[in-house]
Amino acid sequence: MREIIVCTFLTLDGVMQAPGAPDEDTESGFRHGGWQKPVDDEEVGAAIAGWYTGFDAMLLGRKTYDIFASYWPNADPGDPFTERMNSMRKYVASRTLASVEWRNSTLLRGDVVDAVRELKASDGGSISVVGSGDLAQTLMRHGLVDEYRLTIHPVIVGTGKRLFADGAIPTALTPVSVTTTKGGTVVGVYRTNGEPSYDSY
């Protein structure tokens, strides 16, 4: 059974929208795009690179696919991460794309939940969900996420799409590793562990 691992950059108040650039995703009038770079540091980059070495494939929503497919094929070929991103198998969940042209990309047909269940049952290694907030939330609602790898950055933006939005399914988590970089970013890996338990003091 393959595992689905959600990898996401978050602000301290849980926003995942448009970390990379001001015009990356302005949906709902979001004005804080590009919030990550000013609070980023080398340790975050090293952690992300380490995460990707263990993945067999990526699972992307349409917006994230469009962003990646416009950047990585033309990225610096001297950067070893460029070849890793271009050569990795990509599965794309979209209701609007008719085809996907980025190397090693496959468009998932039909119901995405059924398609991901088939992927999980197939042979191969772990599959990362990068960004792709709507897709990640769909997978979360159907109990298909096995692990979260999160970078929680020291900035509050107040509005925007959140990974754990209202209506998120209550889930117990087991910490695998949690560290803090010199720039104050929390890098956390958490395994899903059934339903939360409740108690009182």
Short mmCIF file of all heavy atoms in Angstrom, two decimals, residues 172-200:
data_model
loop_
_atom_site.label_atom_id
_atom_site.label_comp_id
_atom_site.label_asym_id
_atom_site.label_seq_id
_atom_site.Cartn_x
_atom_site.Cartn_y
_atom_site.Cartn_z
N ALA A 172 -6.34 12.45 15.01
CA ALA A 172 -5.21 12.38 15.93
C ALA A 172 -3.92 12.30 15.11
O ALA A 172 -3.90 11.67 14.04
CB ALA A 172 -5.34 11.16 16.84
N LEU A 173 -2.87 12.92 15.60
CA LEU A 173 -1.58 12.93 14.92
C LEU A 173 -0.49 12.45 15.85
O LEU A 173 -0.48 12.78 17.04
CB LEU A 173 -1.25 14.33 14.41
CG LEU A 173 -2.21 14.96 13.40
CD1 LEU A 173 -1.81 16.40 13.14
CD2 LEU A 173 -2.26 14.16 12.11
N THR A 174 0.45 11.70 15.30
CA THR A 174 1.63 11.27 16.05
C THR A 174 2.84 11.99 15.49
O THR A 174 3.16 11.84 14.30
CB THR A 174 1.83 9.75 15.91
OG1 THR A 174 0.69 9.07 16.44
CG2 THR A 174 3.09 9.31 16.65
N PRO A 175 3.52 12.82 16.29
CA PRO A 175 4.71 13.51 15.78
C PRO A 175 5.82 12.51 15.44
O PRO A 175 6.13 11.62 16.23
CB PRO A 175 5.13 14.41 16.95
CG PRO A 175 3.94 14.48 17.85
CD PRO A 175 3.22 13.18 17.68
N VAL A 176 6.39 12.68 14.25
CA VAL A 176 7.55 11.87 13.84
C VAL A 176 8.82 12.65 14.09
O VAL A 176 9.80 12.13 14.64
CB VAL A 176 7.43 11.49 12.35
CG1 VAL A 176 8.68 10.75 11.87
CG2 VAL A 176 6.19 10.64 12.12
N SER A 177 8.85 13.92 13.68
CA SER A 177 9.97 14.80 13.96
C SER A 177 9.48 16.23 13.91
O SER A 177 8.66 16.59 13.06
CB SER A 177 11.11 14.60 12.94
OG SER A 177 10.69 14.98 11.65
N VAL A 178 9.97 17.04 14.84
CA VAL A 178 9.62 18.45 14.89
C VAL A 178 10.87 19.23 15.27
O VAL A 178 11.47 18.98 16.33
CB VAL A 178 8.50 18.74 15.91
CG1 VAL A 178 8.14 20.23 15.90
CG2 VAL A 178 7.26 17.89 15.64
N THR A 179 11.30 20.13 14.39
CA THR A 179 12.48 20.95 14.64
C THR A 179 12.15 22.41 14.32
O THR A 179 11.17 22.70 13.64
CB THR A 179 13.67 20.50 13.79
OG1 THR A 179 13.33 20.60 12.40
CG2 THR A 179 14.07 19.06 14.10
N THR A 180 12.98 23.30 14.82
CA THR A 180 12.83 24.72 14.52
C THR A 180 14.11 25.23 13.88
O THR A 180 15.21 24.97 14.38
CB THR A 180 12.54 25.53 15.79
OG1 THR A 180 11.38 24.99 16.44
CG2 THR A 180 12.30 26.99 15.46
N THR A 181 13.99 25.93 12.75
CA THR A 181 15.17 26.43 12.06
C THR A 181 15.66 27.70 12.74
O THR A 181 14.98 28.29 13.58
CB THR A 181 14.84 26.74 10.59
OG1 THR A 181 14.01 27.91 10.52
CG2 THR A 181 14.14 25.56 9.92
N LYS A 182 16.85 28.15 12.32
CA LYS A 182 17.42 29.36 12.91
C LYS A 182 16.55 30.59 12.62
O LYS A 182 16.58 31.57 13.36
CB LYS A 182 18.83 29.58 12.37
CG LYS A 182 18.89 29.79 10.86
CD LYS A 182 20.32 29.86 10.36
CE LYS A 182 20.37 30.01 8.84
NZ LYS A 182 21.77 29.99 8.34
N GLY A 183 15.75 30.53 11.54
CA GLY A 183 14.86 31.63 11.22
C GLY A 183 13.51 31.56 11.89
O GLY A 183 12.66 32.42 11.68
N GLY A 184 13.29 30.50 12.70
CA GLY A 184 12.05 30.40 13.46
C GLY A 184 10.95 29.60 12.80
O GLY A 184 9.82 29.58 13.30
N THR A 185 11.24 28.91 11.70
CA THR A 185 10.24 28.07 11.05
C THR A 185 10.19 26.71 11.72
O THR A 185 11.24 26.09 11.96
CB THR A 185 10.56 27.90 9.55
OG1 THR A 185 10.42 29.16 8.90
CG2 THR A 185 9.63 26.89 8.89
N VAL A 186 9.00 26.25 12.03
CA VAL A 186 8.82 24.91 12.59
C VAL A 186 8.67 23.94 11.43
O VAL A 186 7.82 24.12 10.55
CB VAL A 186 7.58 24.85 13.50
CG1 VAL A 186 7.34 23.42 13.99
CG2 VAL A 186 7.75 25.80 14.69
N VAL A 187 9.52 22.91 11.42
CA VAL A 187 9.46 21.88 10.39
C VAL A 187 8.96 20.61 11.08
O VAL A 187 9.65 20.02 11.90
CB VAL A 187 10.85 21.63 9.76
CG1 VAL A 187 10.78 20.54 8.70
CG2 VAL A 187 11.38 22.93 9.16
N GLY A 188 7.72 20.22 10.75
CA GLY A 188 7.09 19.12 11.47
C GLY A 188 6.61 18.02 10.55
O GLY A 188 6.10 18.28 9.46
N VAL A 189 6.81 16.79 11.00
CA VAL A 189 6.30 15.62 10.30
C VAL A 189 5.37 14.89 11.26
O VAL A 189 5.76 14.56 12.38
CB VAL A 189 7.44 14.68 9.85
CG1 VAL A 189 6.88 13.43 9.17
CG2 VAL A 189 8.40 15.41 8.92
N TYR A 190 4.12 14.65 10.82
CA TYR A 190 3.10 14.08 11.69
C TYR A 190 2.37 12.96 10.96
O TYR A 190 1.92 13.12 9.82
CB TYR A 190 2.08 15.15 12.09
CG TYR A 190 2.68 16.40 12.68
CD1 TYR A 190 3.04 17.46 11.85
CD2 TYR A 190 2.88 16.52 14.05
CE1 TYR A 190 3.60 18.62 12.38
CE2 TYR A 190 3.43 17.67 14.59
CZ TYR A 190 3.79 18.71 13.75
OH TYR A 190 4.34 19.86 14.27
N ARG A 191 2.22 11.82 11.62
CA ARG A 191 1.47 10.69 11.07
C ARG A 191 0.02 10.76 11.54
O ARG A 191 -0.25 11.08 12.70
CB ARG A 191 2.07 9.36 11.54
CG ARG A 191 3.50 9.13 11.14
CD ARG A 191 3.66 8.69 9.73
NE ARG A 191 3.00 7.43 9.46
CZ ARG A 191 2.91 6.91 8.23
NH1 ARG A 191 3.42 7.54 7.19
NH2 ARG A 191 2.29 5.75 8.04
N THR A 192 -0.91 10.45 10.66
CA THR A 192 -2.30 10.36 11.09
C THR A 192 -2.48 9.11 11.94
O THR A 192 -1.85 8.08 11.72
CB THR A 192 -3.24 10.32 9.88
OG1 THR A 192 -2.92 9.21 9.04
CG2 THR A 192 -3.15 11.60 9.07
N ASN A 193 -3.36 9.21 12.95
CA ASN A 193 -3.49 8.13 13.93
C ASN A 193 -4.94 8.01 14.41
O ASN A 193 -5.21 8.08 15.61
CB ASN A 193 -2.53 8.38 15.09
CG ASN A 193 -2.44 7.21 16.05
OD1 ASN A 193 -2.75 6.07 15.69
ND2 ASN A 193 -2.04 7.48 17.28
N GLY A 194 -5.85 7.88 13.45
CA GLY A 194 -7.24 7.67 13.83
C GLY A 194 -7.91 8.92 14.36
O GLY A 194 -7.53 10.04 14.04
N GLU A 195 -8.91 8.73 15.20
CA GLU A 195 -9.67 9.85 15.76
C GLU A 195 -9.00 10.35 17.04
O GLU A 195 -8.36 9.59 17.76
CB GLU A 195 -11.10 9.40 16.06
CG GLU A 195 -11.88 9.00 14.82
CD GLU A 195 -13.31 8.60 15.17
OE1 GLU A 195 -13.68 8.68 16.37
OE2 GLU A 195 -14.05 8.23 14.25
N PRO A 196 -9.17 11.65 17.34
CA PRO A 196 -8.61 12.18 18.58
C PRO A 196 -9.32 11.54 19.79
O PRO A 196 -10.46 11.12 19.70
CB PRO A 196 -8.92 13.67 18.52
CG PRO A 196 -9.29 13.95 17.11
CD PRO A 196 -9.86 12.68 16.55
N SER A 197 -8.63 11.52 20.90
CA SER A 197 -9.26 11.16 22.17
C SER A 197 -9.53 12.44 22.96
O SER A 197 -8.91 13.47 22.69
CB SER A 197 -8.37 10.21 22.98
OG SER A 197 -7.09 10.78 23.19
N TYR A 198 -10.41 12.38 23.89
CA TYR A 198 -10.80 13.58 24.64
C TYR A 198 -10.81 13.27 26.12
O TYR A 198 -11.13 12.15 26.54
CB TYR A 198 -12.19 14.07 24.20
CG TYR A 198 -12.28 14.35 22.71
CD1 TYR A 198 -12.71 13.38 21.82
CD2 TYR A 198 -11.91 15.59 22.21
CE1 TYR A 198 -12.76 13.63 20.46
CE2 TYR A 198 -11.97 15.86 20.84
CZ TYR A 198 -12.40 14.87 19.98
OH TYR A 198 -12.47 15.13 18.64
N ASP A 199 -10.44 14.28 26.93
CA ASP A 199 -10.36 14.09 28.37
C ASP A 199 -10.51 15.44 29.03
O ASP A 199 -10.62 16.47 28.35
CB ASP A 199 -9.02 13.43 28.74
CG ASP A 199 -9.07 12.70 30.08
OD1 ASP A 199 -10.04 12.93 30.83
OD2 ASP A 199 -8.16 11.93 30.36
N SER A 200 -10.49 15.49 30.33
CA SER A 200 -10.57 16.75 31.06
C SER A 200 -9.54 16.76 32.16
O SER A 200 -9.02 15.73 32.57
CB SER A 200 -11.99 16.94 31.65
OG SER A 200 -12.28 15.88 32.54
#
